[in-house]
Amino acid sequence: MRTVFFLLLTSLLIGQADAAPRAKAASNPAPKPTAPARTATELAASIRPSLVKITQLGREGTDGIGSGFIVSEDGLIATNLHVIGEARRLQVEMHDGKTHDVTVVQASDSHHDLALIKIDAKGLTTLPLGDSSKARQGDPIVAMGAPEGLAFSIVQGVLSATRDIDGLEMLQVAVPIEKGNSGGPLLDMQGNVLGLLTLKSLKTENLGFAMPVNDLKTLIEKPNPVPMSRWLTIGALNPKQWQTFLGAQWTQHAGVIRSEFPGAGFGGRALCLSTQKVPEGTFETSVTVRLDDESGAAGLTFCSDGAEKHYGFYASGGKLRLTRFNGPDVYSWTILADVPSDAYKAGEWNTLRVRVEPERLVCFVNGKQVIESDDTGLRSGSAGLCKFRTTVADFRNFRVGTDLAEKPLQPEVASQLRSKVEEYIAAAATADKTLDGLLENPAAARRVLVEQRRKLEEEAAKLRELEHELHRRAMTKEILAELAKPEPEINLLRCALLLARHDNPEIDISTYLNSFNAMVLDLKDDPEITKGTIPAVKRLSRYLFEENGFHGSRGDYGSRSNSYLNEVLDDREGLPITLSVLYVELASELGVQGVFGVPLPGKFMVGYRDGPEGELQLVDVFEHGKLVTVEQAALDLTEDGHFPEGALSPTTKQAILLRMLRNLMSSVFDDSRSLRESLPYLNLLLAIDPQSAAERLTRAQMRQRLGEKAGAREDVTWLIDNFPNDGPPELMQQLDRWLQSLRE
């Protein structure tokens, strides 16, 4: 039974999951193996024209420096992704001191930390790409870059080894890698690039790591270009929701806003104001914040005029501070309160809340009141976030409203809990007497206490899992409610975001729905959208893939991030199915007719017809919106050049969500994560599709291995009750024996 059913399950899973695209060999010509070795001096002279220094430019000047090298005569430059960052202006300095602005981020790969950038230049001197698979331990190498900003420096060493670093094969080199070296080339003694300098060893100064150049070749062959104007918006805050003042760098990812670098105001002050309208009269504002350095300060600002006047309630030096700012310098600031609080947890997430009344200000941290002030100096303006000094601060769940306090528990529930707390307090009062008794046999008493502590820790772990399961079931309930609507009314975008929130409770779905609505507004009045299906499809593809840089994931196809639609919107990188969901939902919201998802085996695509009788055409969203005929797709995705029946039919929104779930399950299985981590996906899938026999079988096996016999019996009983009448009798017998073993 196990073998036959498991083979069936495997074939079903493989057929449903999106297969990673096959990478082609890069077109960059291989180096000549017979080229003579050269000295480091000779290499330095010949390679220098191909090296560049890359500078990140911020509001206040240089934000970061790295290295790169030229790979094409028309201005293509290779470097590390972390060198160029996100939402950064980039400048390239050539060996002769000339500078160029980067015009396009030609390709990026977050998994391998690689990037290709483009400048407007011709006739540049390139470096030949070697074959990193042929590099051998002990081979002499040279590395070049801009350590600490000192451009065009060279160091000589040897290849120490190839090592697995966090699942990536990297070249270990016996050369020092300093800040600014990242992105520089690692070369053999013939002058061929073997890798890109990436990591500095934490163990010794004379040891580092480089990303093999063969990973770069795939990126050259399959780019995902993003114009610089759009690259500057990746990770940037939506200007329709936030306005920043006084500098610093504000970015957003997965619903978390991060502020880095000092602001331009005195003390490194910087503001990020919400465009939400603040209620008149009494109102409240709150945010959950975490500081990487408690010597800094970050929190809430309110009653702000958008410049120098505002209040601030924030963590500072481990305390809670309320300040009124009346001007640009410290002499115009009034610290209204600066107090410690046991309710504040340094280094952790803390929720700050302020209640603004006509005659007073009341400040809370994690639900506990810490400050009350009768200051009335400011009473109108915007609310938002503030940060000071060099600390890096993360913010989430910013809110404005009339009453944001956590609501009290139901009286009967509160009474039960209070009685338990009172029992504990009463027991604590007798702690001294308890200790006196334990001291009669301290060794044995300690053993008992250790056992009891471990038991409590196990119970705490169970409570955490109960909390997670409660959240997952709440998300399941919301997804099922959405899917219960008539097909045209189902909000697939919201379903996909709920699927992401099933794993991450901190995702603010409204934030991403607003981001999507902003995209709709961008295209709503575009004349091409209203001309018909074909012009609209071309415009949608241009908008998503050329203007906004959405692209298929190249280096980390199996990452769960590619299945989370919020991260796809943040990073503009995803799987065929998640990019298709965005494409189809955008077309639907704009009223474009005849655009739908097509569940091809191995690769999800977008289909469209120009009228009910129009010929089916396909959009390969993974390949930058490439238009593909049905015949071309069949040749690429099937062995016989023909699709099975039904593969070209428009799919339902429920089927799309199930396919996304199966992709998530595949990513868990591929990474050999625990059974318990994959079980919630199976539970959700079976809640959506209770008739899925393959997943029933898988869950029964998982439950049995986890010792959950009752759950396994439930699934095996279902398999028996739903066994087909014409099914093999021997399989039915094996199911019966399996059920019997679960009863023993």
Side-chain angles (χ1 to χ4, degrees):
M1 183 281 306
R2 178 182 173 86
T3 301
V4 176
F5 263 70
F6 192 75
L7 286 174
L8 171 63
L9 166 67
T10 303
S11 65
L12 285 171
L13 285 178
I14 292 175
Q16 290 293 334
D18 290 324
R22 295 186 296 271
K24 298 180 180 179
S27 59
N28 194 283
K32 296 179 181 180
T34 56
R38 290 181 280 177
T39 66
T41 302
E42 292 171 336
L43 284 175
S46 63
I47 291 168
R48 183 180 173 87
S50 302
L51 302 179
V52 302
K53 183 172 78 171
I54 300 170
T55 304
Q56 294 178 9
L57 300 175
R59 290 184 177 89
E60 305 304 314
T62 299
D63 283 346
I65 293 176
S67 303
F69 58 93
I70 299 167
V71 295
S72 75
E73 296 180 356
D74 60 350
L76 198 60
I77 294 167
T79 186
N80 288 138
L81 180 58
H82 77 262
V83 167
I84 67 173
E86 289 180 346
R88 310 287 216 285
R89 289 194 304 119
L90 302 170
Q91 188 178 78
V92 172
E93 180 183 341
M94 314 301 286
H95 75 289
D96 57 4
K98 293 181 180 179
T99 60
H100 300 266
D101 289 333
V102 174
T103 58
V104 177
V105 176
Q106 183 74 0
S108 60
D109 180 347
S110 58
H111 183 61
H112 292 98
D113 191 22
L114 295 174
L116 293 166
I117 56 179
K118 189 82 164 50
I119 61 174
D120 288 333
K122 301 292 182 183
L124 302 179
T125 303
T126 65
L127 286 183
L129 305 186
D131 184 351
S132 50
S133 67
K134 295 181 179 179
R136 296 292 179 263
Q137 188 176 33
D139 285 349
I141 49 89
V142 295
M144 301 193 73
E148 303 298 334
L150 303 174
F152 316 114
S153 301
I154 184 170
V155 63
Q156 189 170 4
V158 298
L159 181 65
S160 302
T162 57
R163 297 201 184 278
D164 184 288
I165 306 293
D166 294 332
L168 294 174
E169 183 179 276
M170 300 188 73
L171 304 177
Q172 179 182 316
V173 290
V175 296
I177 298 179
E178 303 296 340
K179 182 180 178 182
N181 273 128
S182 291
L186 177 75
L187 306 110
D188 62 22
M189 300 310 291
Q190 286 76 31
N192 304 307
V193 179
L194 296 178
L196 289 82
L197 302 176
T198 303
L199 294 175
K200 178 180 179 179
S201 172
L202 298 178
K203 296 181 179 180
T204 173
E205 294 182 356
N206 294 314
L207 192 64
F209 295 91
M211 188 61 64
V213 74
N214 286 2
D215 292 322
L216 179 69
K217 294 177 182 178
T218 301
L219 215 57
I220 294 173
E221 179 67 25
K222 287 184 170 289
N224 42 20
V226 183
M228 204 60 201
S229 60
R230 291 295 180 174
W231 183 264
L232 294 175
T233 67
I234 294 179
L237 297 181
N238 186 337
K240 296 178 181 178
Q241 298 174 0
W242 298 96
Q243 296 291 324
T244 60
F245 299 88
L246 301 175
Q249 179 173 288
W250 300 83
T251 57
Q252 179 171 322
H253 182 79
V256 174
I257 293 175
R258 168 165 286 199
S259 181
E260 300 178 81
F261 307 111
F266 187 87
R269 178 174 45 150
L271 306 180
C272 180
L273 300 181
S274 170
T275 58
Q276 293 183 60
K277 186 177 180 180
V278 175
E280 295 182 4
T282 298
F283 71 92
E284 295 189 358
T285 182
S286 71
V287 73
T288 303
V289 62
R290 180 177 63 189
L291 284 68
D292 78 328
D293 180 359
E294 293 295 333
S295 66
L300 287 164
T301 184
F302 52 100
C303 299
S304 172
D305 67 349
E308 302 292 354
K309 293 184 178 181
H310 60 93
Y311 284 111
F313 172 52
Y314 46 89
S316 177
K319 296 182 179 181
L320 284 309
R321 177 176 291 184
L322 176 65
T323 304
R324 174 161 45 84
F325 299 87
N326 287 324
D329 54 50
V330 69
Y331 302 107
S332 56
W333 300 355
T334 302
I335 297 177
L336 303 173
D338 186 32
V339 299
S341 173
D342 293 338
Y344 180 78
K345 306 301 180 185
E348 300 180 16
W349 287 103
N350 291 275
T351 298
L352 307 182
R353 177 168 61 93
V354 174
R355 181 171 180 83
V356 180
E357 299 176 355
E359 301 300 328
R360 67 170 187 161
L361 305 172
V362 187
C363 304
F364 305 81
V365 59
N366 297 323
K368 180 179 179 180
Q369 180 176 326
V370 290
I371 295 172
E372 181 175 345
S373 171
D374 59 2
D375 188 89
T376 58
L378 302 172
R379 277 301 182 276
S380 64
S382 302
L385 316 174
C386 63
K387 188 189 81 78
F388 303 81
R389 299 188 279 282
T390 59
T391 189
V392 175
D394 292 329
F395 305 84
R396 69 187 188 197
N397 298 335
F398 173 81
R399 295 187 296 161
V400 173
T402 55
D403 182 7
L404 303 179
E406 188 173 2
K407 301 303 178 283
L409 295 170
Q410 294 293 329
E412 59 273 16
V413 175
S415 177
Q416 292 176 6
L417 293 175
R418 286 194 188 98
S419 65
K420 292 183 179 295
V421 172
E422 288 168 0
E423 289 176 10
Y424 174 81
I425 294 172
T430 64
D432 288 341
K433 292 182 179 180
T434 301
L435 282 172
D436 290 339
L438 294 176
L439 283 170
E440 295 176 4
N441 192 345
R446 185 175 181 278
R447 286 180 58 185
V448 171
L449 287 173
V450 168
E451 291 173 3
Q452 189 67 18
R453 173 176 57 79
R454 289 173 178 168
K455 182 179 178 181
L456 290 173
E457 289 172 349
E458 290 174 1
E459 290 177 354
K462 290 178 181 178
L463 286 174
R464 283 193 295 270
E465 179 54 34
L466 182 63
E467 176 190 350
H468 295 158
E469 184 60 22
L470 176 65
H471 167 75
R472 289 190 289 256
R473 292 196 182 189
M475 292 302 98
T476 300
K477 186 177 180 180
E478 288 196 48
I479 291 172
L480 292 177
E482 191 69 46
L483 292 176
K485 298 176 182 177
E487 181 73 11
E489 298 177 19
I490 296 173
N491 188 332
L492 179 58
L493 192 80
R494 184 170 181 272
C495 281
L497 289 169
L498 285 169
L499 179 57
R501 196 166 191 267
H502 178 268
D503 281 1
N504 182 2
E506 302 304 330
I507 293 174
D508 184 354
I509 289 178
S510 62
T511 295
Y512 291 97
L513 291 176
N514 289 337
S515 296
F516 175 77
N517 290 334
M519 297 169 70
V520 173
L521 290 175
D522 283 346
L523 292 171
K524 186 176 181 181
D525 298 323
D526 194 296
E528 291 183 75
I529 295 295
T530 58
K531 284 183 179 179
T533 300
I534 293 178
V537 164
K538 291 180 178 178
R539 181 67 187 102
L540 283 171
S541 294
R542 198 164 66 250
Y543 175 81
L544 287 173
F545 308 118
E546 295 181 20
E547 297 175 9
N548 283 283
F550 284 92
H551 60 275
S553 180
R554 293 294 186 252
D556 196 13
Y557 190 91
S559 169
R560 284 191 282 183
S561 294
N562 291 320
S563 291
Y564 297 149
L565 199 63
N566 63 304
E567 296 196 41
V568 173
L569 287 167
D570 280 336
D571 301 336
R572 307 185 196 186
E573 178 177 327
L575 298 177
I577 193 166
T578 46
L579 293 171
S580 293
V581 166
L582 181 60
Y583 196 110
V584 170
E585 287 297 284
L586 192 55
S588 174
E589 198 67 24
L590 290 166
V592 179
Q593 301 297 312
V595 178
F596 47 86
V598 182
L600 301 180
K603 195 174 194 180
F604 202 95
M605 290 194 187
V606 171
Y608 67 95
R609 296 181 187 273
D610 191 15
E613 304 301 322
E615 182 181 0
L616 174 63
Q617 300 291 327
L618 300 172
V619 180
D620 189 345
V621 293
F622 193 79
E623 297 295 344
H624 224 62
K626 178 182 177 183
L627 299 181
V628 182
T629 65
V630 172
E631 292 76 16
Q632 288 172 325
L635 289 172
D636 288 342
L637 299 175
T638 67
E639 293 183 1
D640 60 359
H642 294 87
F643 287 121
E645 184 177 354
L648 297 172
S649 302
T651 190
T652 65
K653 295 175 181 179
Q654 176 172 306
I656 290 175
L657 203 65
L658 288 172
R659 186 155 169 164
M660 292 177 68
L661 258 174
R662 291 188 172 102
N663 284 336
L664 278 168
M665 286 195 300
S666 296
S667 69
V668 174
F669 293 147
D670 289 346
D671 288 353
S672 301
R673 291 185 172 93
S674 69
L675 294 178
R676 289 201 179 276
E677 194 169 355
S678 57
L679 193 57
Y681 295 131
L682 278 171
N683 293 338
L684 177 56
L685 191 148
L686 286 168
I688 297 172
D689 183 15
Q691 301 303 311
S692 177
E695 277 79 22
R696 283 279 179 184
L697 173 63
T698 303
R699 190 170 72 173
Q701 293 169 333
M702 285 187 177
R703 282 174 159 178
Q704 183 179 21
R705 290 176 64 184
L706 291 168
E708 300 176 4
K709 281 192 173 184
R713 286 197 301 270
E714 174 191 336
D715 286 329
V716 176
T717 300
W718 186 95
L719 290 168
I720 292 172
D721 293 343
N722 291 272
F723 196 82
N725 294 330
D726 57 349
E730 60 272 19
L731 285 183
M732 185 63 170
Q733 294 169 7
Q734 291 180 9
L735 284 172
D736 286 332
R737 288 196 295 270
W738 189 8
L739 182 60
Q740 183 60 37
S741 71
L742 291 170
R743 288 172 174 162
E744 295 174 354

